[in-house]
Amino acid sequence: MLSIPFFMIQRIQSIWLLLAAGASLASLRFSFYSGVKENNVFERLNGQSHFVLMILSVAVALAALLALFMFKNRKLQKQITVVALLLQLITITVYILQLKHFTTGNFLLTSVFTLLIPVFFLLAWLGIRKDENLIKSMDRLR
C-alpha cells in the first residue's frame, strides 16, 4: 500500500498549490514573450532562457510542493505560501526587466502560466486561513 497521504488533496488549498507548482514548472518550457532582440536575433523568453528565471521558477515550484506536504502544520504552510508568492512576484519582475532587451515582440498566450501563479498562491492562502478559522471555531465549541 502506498504511504503517500492522498487525503490531503481533498482540501482546496492543496489543489491550488498543486496548480501553482505545475504552472511554475510549465513556465520553464513555455515562453512568456517572443521577439527580436537588440542584435536582430529572434528569441523566446521562458524560464530556461535566463539563469535567474530558471532558479526562481524551480524555487517557486519546490516551495509550492513543500507547502502542499505541510498540511498538518497550517501556520508553516501559510508562511511557505507567502514566501512562494513573493518569489513569484520577483520572477514576474525579472521577466518584465528582461523585456527591455527586446526591440520588438509579443506576449504569448502561455504567459498566462506565469501570471496565474500568484492567484493560485493567494487562493491557497485563503483556503488555509479558512481551515484555521474552522479549527478555531471547533475548539471553541469543545
Side-chain angles (χ1 to χ4, degrees), residues 31-46 49 98-108:
S31 299
F32 181 80
Y33 190 84
S34 67
V36 177
K37 280 198 149 183
E38 295 162 340
N39 53 6
N40 290 332
V41 175
F42 181 81
E43 190 173 317
R44 293 179 183 265
L45 179 63
N46 62 17
S49 63
Q98 288 298 312
L99 296 181
K100 69 180 178 183
H101 299 294
F102 288 87
T103 55
T104 61
N106 296 318
F107 287 97
L108 300 176

Side-chain angles (χ1 to χ4, degrees), residues 4 6 43 68 74 104-105 134:
I4 299 172
F6 287 108
E43 190 173 317
L68 179 67
R74 281 176 296 283
T104 61
L134 180 65

Side-chain angles (χ1 to χ4, degrees), residues 65-102:
L65 290 175
L66 180 65
L68 179 67
F69 288 102
M70 292 292 157
F71 59 92
K72 289 186 179 181
N73 188 349
R74 281 176 296 283
K75 183 177 179 184
L76 182 61
Q77 191 179 34
K78 269 176 55 174
Q79 290 173 350
I80 293 171
T81 302
V82 169
V83 168
L85 173 64
L86 294 174
L87 279 175
Q88 183 58 30
L89 293 177
I90 291 170
T91 304
I92 292 172
T93 304
V94 173
Y95 271 117
I96 300 297
L97 290 175
Q98 288 298 312
L99 296 181
K100 69 180 178 183
H101 299 294
F102 288 87

Side-chain angles (χ1 to χ4, degrees), residues 20-21 23-28 47-48 50-66 84 87-88 91 95 117 121:
S24 182
L25 291 175
S27 72
L28 287 171
Q48 293 178 344
H50 193 266
F51 183 71
V52 175
L53 286 173
M54 183 172 60
I55 296 297
L56 286 170
S57 295
V58 170
V60 167
L62 289 176
L65 290 175
L66 180 65
L87 279 175
Q88 183 58 30
T91 304
Y95 271 117
I117 296 171
F121 280 126

